Amino acid sequence: MSETRTASVQAVDGRCGNGVAPAGGRAPAPLWWVWLAAWPVTAVFVLSNAATPLYVLWQRDIGFSKGTLTVVFAFYIVGLVGSLLVCGVVSDRVGRKPVLLPALGLAMAACLIFATATSVPALIVARLFSGIAVGAVVSAGMAAVTDVAGPGRKRIAALLASCAMVFGAGLGPLLAGVLSETAPAPTVTVFVVEAFLLATALLAVLRMPLRGPEVRTRGAWVRVPGVPRGNGRQLVLGTAVFAPGITATSFVLSLGPSLLSGLLGTTSRIVVGAMAFAMFLAATGVQFAVQRLRRRTVLTAGAVSTALSMTTLIVAVHTSSVPALIISALLAGSGQGMGQLGGLSLLNSSVPPQRLAEANAALNVGGYIPAGVLPVSAGYLSDAAGLTSGATIFGAALLGLAVIGGLVVVATRSQVTDPV
């Protein structure tokens, strides 16, 4: 992680297309700025899953089924995917800050709606706003980390951006679970805290050493995000592993509380939040552990981890085993973490800066679409046929996708043999 401060590298950093740079445009930003640039990603992802332990309270007070719960969750995916169709391209054309600042404002609005929600439509709107904000940070925010880092620190940029995402995703449900059990106003307090975190992220974006893009891409402003010609294979490889991984963690987030309730007979929000936090802590830790391995190894291990997660999930629901469910969640987090790191590393190493936010958006579109569709299907199937049957069918389908993703990586050696 050491910084290279050679004058020639500094000059290249200062000229980097969409905004990298630092004061005066000549010297790369200090390493601490690269870490701080990842904070807005963490802050928004805290919001993305903060509602997870609270759904049991809203279900009790408002009254809705597991199927409706997964629909509420899916509107987050709708907002996210819709945002990805716009934010990556806009960020590459007008800069990171013009995308990130409105997104943070929308995230604060989502906090207000969550804190005052008394109906399913309110929850849907709050989740929709959250998804839009997340779509902005996984495209513009993660690209901003790479911009601030500069060309000589792409490895650490990919690592910090990816870990910021999964750590925030895990911290949200843990905060919500603890605060809702120990503080007054259980569905309000966590969103007050989150609004404060978002305010600090807003200040970080305002001060972030970024410039507007010097090279502008052409084409429609709203389009399915993609990658430059010649980078399609890298995108496919990353998506093949990232998509099953994030779908597995999405299932745990949406129906994990119901599984815990059935297996443990508990509705403890701290337990629910702790399991989600442990899952994403595994996703964070595994990325630091494998950061120096070859991309092919990282992606293959991610696919194997997701496949094992689904195998363990099936065992858990048929044996009513809480340890098996926890192991499944940890393996799911590890699978997402490695798939995400491998995919981002492939794109960071090959996509030019003026298309990087769009490339990040493309990777996440490929991941979040199945992450929205499959858990919703599992939720309604669970309502109709029982939670055991729904979870079994979901696990078997995702196990198959994870195996296919691993085989795709193994069969494509030439694109994934470089170190992460």
Side-chain angles (χ1 to χ4, degrees):
M1 296 185 187
S2 60
E3 294 185 63
T4 303
R5 297 190 178 278
T6 307
S8 60
V9 175
Q10 292 174 353
V12 172
D13 283 356
R15 292 193 297 268
C16 207
N18 55 15
V20 0
R26 295 186 180 276
L31 186 59
W32 63 265
W33 249 120
V34 185
W35 284 79
L36 189 57
W39 171 241
V41 179
T42 298
V44 172
F45 268 92
V46 168
L47 174 65
S48 70
N49 294 329
T52 298
L54 305 179
Y55 285 126
V56 291
L57 297 177
W58 285 315
Q59 280 183 296
R60 181 196 67 197
D61 296 338
I62 300 172
F64 50 87
S65 67
K66 289 188 289 291
T68 301
L69 172 59
T70 54
V71 169
V72 173
F73 183 84
F75 264 88
Y76 163 79
I77 306 294
V78 170
L80 189 152
V81 173
S83 177
L84 291 172
L85 298 179
V86 179
C87 289
V89 175
V90 172
S91 174
D92 285 336
R93 291 188 182 183
V94 305
R96 311 306 185 207
K97 291 184 181 182
V99 173
L100 290 174
L101 293 174
L104 289 167
L106 202 60
M108 291 181 180
C111 287
L112 177 62
I113 298 171
F114 269 131
T116 58
T118 57
S119 66
V120 170
L123 295 177
I124 286 175
V125 171
R127 287 297 283 170
L128 184 67
F129 283 5
S130 301
I132 294 171
V134 167
V137 300
V138 297
S139 51
M142 298 175 94
V145 178
T146 302
D147 290 350
V148 171
R153 296 182 293 202
K154 289 185 176 182
R155 178 190 292 181
I156 189 65
L159 176 64
L160 292 181
S162 185
C163 287
M165 172 179 168
V166 292
F167 182 73
L171 184 59
L174 180 64
L175 276 176
V178 172
L179 291 175
S180 67
E181 292 276 11
T182 61
T187 60
V188 176
T189 307
V190 66
F191 297 110
V192 174
V193 173
E194 168 60 1
F196 172 77
L197 298 181
L198 291 168
T200 64
L202 189 67
L203 293 175
V205 171
L206 288 171
R207 298 289 297 168
M208 201 175 291
L210 292 170
R211 297 185 306 181
E214 295 178 3
V215 179
R216 297 180 184 271
T217 57
R218 297 180 179 180
W221 286 81
V222 180
R223 63 174 186 249
V224 176
V227 293
R229 186 181 300 275
N231 295 122
R233 185 170 295 181
Q234 288 93 332
L235 177 62
V236 169
L237 288 170
T239 304
V241 180
F242 174 56
I246 198 168
T247 302
T249 57
S250 295
F251 175 82
V252 174
L253 287 171
S254 59
L255 289 180
S258 298
L259 285 169
L260 278 175
S261 177
L263 296 179
L264 277 179
T266 179
T267 57
S268 169
R269 296 181 293 279
I270 294 178
V271 173
V272 172
M275 185 175 76
F277 179 72
M279 178 173 68
F280 286 110
L281 189 63
T284 304
V286 76
Q287 291 181 68
F288 281 96
V290 304
Q291 61 172 308
R292 296 190 181 278
L293 298 180
R294 295 183 179 276
R295 296 187 186 101
R296 179 170 178 260
T297 303
V298 173
L299 288 170
T300 303
V304 170
S305 185
T306 301
L308 290 175
S309 170
M310 292 300 98
T311 302
T312 312
L313 173 69
I314 294 170
V315 171
V317 297
H318 282 276
T319 62
S320 299
S321 170
V322 173
L325 179 62
I326 293 172
I327 291 171
S328 175
L330 295 176
L331 288 168
S334 298
Q336 178 187 335
M338 288 186 281
Q340 185 172 295
L341 178 62
L344 285 174
S345 297
L346 284 172
L347 296 178
N348 270 11
S349 67
S350 58
V351 175
Q354 62 268 22
R355 294 289 302 279
L356 186 57
E358 184 181 355
N360 288 345
L363 176 67
N364 282 278
V365 165
Y368 275 105
I369 287 178
V373 172
L374 290 180
V376 167
S377 301
Y380 275 105
L381 185 60
S382 297
D383 281 338
L387 192 55
T388 298
S389 296
T392 300
I393 294 172
F394 171 86
L398 198 55
L399 171 61
L401 289 178
V403 170
I404 291 171
L407 292 175
V408 168
V409 173
V410 170
T412 317
R413 293 172 176 266
S414 63
Q415 297 294 321
V416 288
T417 53
D418 295 336
V420 174

